[in-house]
Amino acid sequence: MNLITIDRSRRRLASIFVAAGIAATLVPGPGHFAQAANQIETLATSYVPTVSESIDASGFKHPGLGYTKQMLENVQLQVRTQQQPWTDYFNDIAGYDSSSKTPTVKNTGNGTTPRFPGLASQAMNDTFISDGMAAYGQAVMYLLTGDEVYRANGMRIIRIYEQMDPTKYAYFTDAHIHTGIPLQRMLAGAEILRYTSTQNPALAWTDDDTAKLTANLIVPVMQTFNSSNARFMNQHLYTTIAKMSGAIFTGNVAEYNKAVEWFTVNEDAVDQGQNGAIKALFRLVTRNDQTGEPVTPAVQHVEMGRDQAHGGGDITNAEILARMMNAQGTKVDPVEGTVSTAPNAVGPYEFLDDRILTAAELYASFMVGYQIPWVPTASRSDPDGNPTVLYYGVSNGVRGRTSMALWDLFYYYQYVRGLDMTQRAPNFTKYFSARGYNNWSGHDGGGDYWLGIPAQAAQAEGAKYGVMSSVGSIREVEDRYTALDSNTVLMQEGTTKFLRVTATTAGTSLAVFGYGGGGTYGIRIRTNGTATGTVRGISFKLPDTQGQWRYVVLPIASDEFQGYVF
């Protein structure tokens, strides 16, 4: 995020006009909604896979790894009838390798057996990360198009992993961080394939598929890499994702209940300072851990003291876990966080008075440019609860990034709960509206949230909240700004939107988010005088363009800057 402060350097300057775009070194990721046509028109077949539903012997609903039969049928219908915003999302994912008819499958040499029979290094796990995304992408494409090529690809990937050797798994550095999302994705794809029909008996899911995948992949990944509840903040949630998704797929009630409690409270964690559960991570702070003095209780998203990449990942992971719990209809004790069917039981989002949403609004407020309150708080503590490491303030690390996928809760609260998110969480809604792209295959997960967008969104908003279109490296500044005083106003002349920034002696400030942290920026301006300003602490001068639109180039990474106009 770039904080721009402009002050009046000469009396004759009245205002500055910042035009419709900033050209930055940051470019959008793959698939940025620039498709020329709706991909479903050419990819869909006449066959529409039927989604079946089952309740297993342990009471788990299937499909239920985040998306139910009703949700999968809804996205299937919306994509095939070319409704927005689903059409934009489908057009986006169709361009990824994992969604192509010839996806890359890394853990094989001959196409049928695994190259690595287990997971024992980061290099081996890289194949699992890629193949988990491919299995998921192929299953989703089959669900939406009915093309058996996708189903054949998905089943082939899964059946390769069914041949893994459970004795060949060994913990490697950061395995607990990097195995949860690929397992969740592969199982989400398997769940779709297991509960959709096929015209080819050879591609039908069998009990043998379930047994082999369970014994040779799911159980080893859960036991070898994800059996500890002592991981650091964000890392704990990745472990919990692996445990919960594996438990649902295999119908393991004990492991599922444990995963739920790990997600909500994780009471048995030795170090509550680094605990990644909702209660500790999105903490109700009651004292200053630096001084020991009591403070007015307020929620803080603790890992925002580390950096905002991990802070955003916390929200994403919480949403993935909440999605799986909601698909199963799971509620918890409002205090203990354990699975409960009592009348006062609450859902994962409602736990601790909508604590996840409160944390998300704090996070988004900071990301779009506002300062948020902060009290020094423990990020590590000893077994007696005494702080050993503190976060003294909010980190600016990757502040303003819009490429993460932390958007499930917008649709949950807007449609399932029926809240007006522009009122309940205005800065999260602003941040959501300005996101850069879908991040479908990002390693941190969450880019599949659009599969669960409720049907009501079609009539209520259409493409209003579709991912923003970007052309090359252009970003529309009026879509990603926050006025930090009353001197910046959004204006429009004809089809051109721009910001009118009135420079003042005291300085006029605005934040622009969704850009890179350095490099060269070209800002289109129209001025009637000169002004000075700073971006990221670097000074610049704006020339008098005499009322004409011109670009000013700001090399933000430069130590000394005077500016260039063309």
Side-chain angles (χ1 to χ4, degrees), residues 162-428:
E162 289 175 7
Q163 301 172 64
M164 301 283 273
D165 183 344
T167 68
K168 302 296 184 182
Y169 290 76
Y171 186 84
F172 53 88
T173 302
D174 293 338
H176 61 283
I177 306 175
H178 300 299
T179 54
I181 292 296
L183 181 66
Q184 179 260 331
R185 282 172 165 167
M186 186 166 287
L187 296 187
E191 189 86 336
I192 290 173
L193 296 172
R194 181 161 63 158
Y195 292 98
T196 49
S197 61
T198 175
Q199 301 176 89
N200 184 346
L203 300 178
W205 189 273
T206 68
D207 290 341
D208 193 47
D209 288 313
T210 300
K212 288 181 177 178
L213 193 65
T214 298
N216 298 331
L217 178 70
I218 301 172
V219 171
V221 168
M222 292 173 66
Q223 292 182 348
T224 308
F225 310 126
N226 300 288
S227 59
S228 170
N229 66 336
R231 306 301 185 182
F232 186 85
M233 296 192 186
N234 186 288
Q235 301 173 22
H236 170 72
L237 292 175
Y238 286 118
T239 280
T240 306
I241 285 171
K243 181 175 289 289
M244 187 177 290
S245 57
I248 292 171
F249 192 87
T250 61
N252 190 323
V253 175
E255 288 292 277
Y256 178 76
N257 289 348
K258 184 183 293 185
V260 169
E261 197 278 333
W262 280 13
F263 174 39
T264 56
V265 176
N266 195 21
E267 182 181 13
D268 294 336
V270 174
D271 186 343
Q272 290 294 326
Q274 70 170 25
N275 185 2
I278 293 172
K279 183 178 180 179
L281 186 58
F282 308 141
R283 190 175 305 170
L284 183 65
V285 174
T286 59
R287 72 174 185 181
N288 183 319
D289 283 341
Q290 183 178 13
T291 65
E293 297 174 336
V295 298
T296 301
V299 173
Q300 286 186 182
H301 178 352
V302 176
E303 203 162 9
M304 289 181 68
R306 182 183 185 185
D307 61 55
Q308 303 323 314
H310 289 88
D314 294 327
I315 304 295
T316 299
N317 288 348
E319 289 175 321
I320 293 171
L321 288 160
R323 180 199 307 166
M324 288 192 283
M325 286 178 61
N326 282 335
Q328 293 301 323
T330 302
K331 293 188 176 183
V332 298
D333 182 276
V335 177
E336 302 299 327
T338 51
V339 173
S340 174
T341 57
N344 67 337
V346 297
Y349 281 121
E350 291 75 17
F351 183 63
L352 297 181
D353 298 321
D354 298 292
R355 185 68 60 84
I356 296 172
L357 178 59
T358 299
E361 176 67 3
L362 282 169
Y363 178 79
S365 298
F366 186 69
M367 293 296 272
V368 301
Y370 295 109
Q371 296 301 320
I372 61 174
W374 189 269
V375 175
T377 192
S379 59
R380 293 187 188 274
S381 59
D382 64 24
D384 295 324
N386 301 307
T388 58
V389 180
L390 301 182
Y391 285 145
Y392 293 96
V394 186
S395 169
N396 283 310
V398 304
R399 186 180 184 186
R401 177 191 286 182
T402 57
S403 59
M404 291 177 284
L406 56 157
W407 315 121
D408 285 71
L409 64 82
F410 175 86
Y411 285 104
Y412 176 80
Y413 280 99
Q414 184 82 5
Y415 294 108
V416 178
R417 284 278 298 275
L419 301 184
D420 181 348
M421 283 291 281
T422 62
Q423 299 298 314
R424 175 59 179 84
N427 292 320
F428 184 85

